[in-house]
Amino acid sequence: VSLPESGTSLTFLDTPGHAAFSAMRARGAAVTDLVVLVVAADDSVMPQTLEAISHAQAAKCPIVVALSKARKPPRFAWPIAAMMKRW
């Protein structure tokens, strides 16, 4: 996406959560300025979530955690928030 005000561009990289895409997530974290990690409230924190956090931390990249499906039962919003505070 081109940003007309600054003349710079913004690239979005969406990596699937499946374990087979671990190397893709590692490469993506290494070349990004910001990681937006989307966690589904009905799935809780998955191993791939922890892996993505690890890749972002190794790349010294800031992380924003977004919670999706927050209104869909079962809701794990508070436990997810507590787990995210550990990292």
Side-chain angles (χ1 to χ4, degrees):
V1 176
S2 293
L3 304 174
E5 299 84 27
S6 64
T8 60
S9 63
L10 179 65
T11 303
F12 294 93
L13 175 63
D14 181 11
T15 59
H18 192 274
F21 293 93
S22 177
M24 181 188 295
R25 285 190 290 275
R27 285 191 306 272
V31 297
T32 191
D33 296 318
L34 174 71
V35 169
V36 178
L37 186 62
V38 180
V39 179
D42 61 343
D43 280 341
S44 190
V45 177
M46 306 292 278
Q48 299 89 311
T49 307
L50 303 178
E51 176 201 318
I53 292 169
S54 176
H55 290 315
Q57 288 175 332
K60 297 185 183 349
C61 187
I63 305 169
V64 173
V65 178
L67 192 62
S68 68
K69 302 179 186 178
R71 295 184 182 192
K72 181 180 174 185
R75 295 182 193 110
F76 297 110
W78 293 114
I80 288 172
M83 293 171 109
M84 291 291 114
K85 287 182 182 180
R86 291 187 214 161
W87 290 275

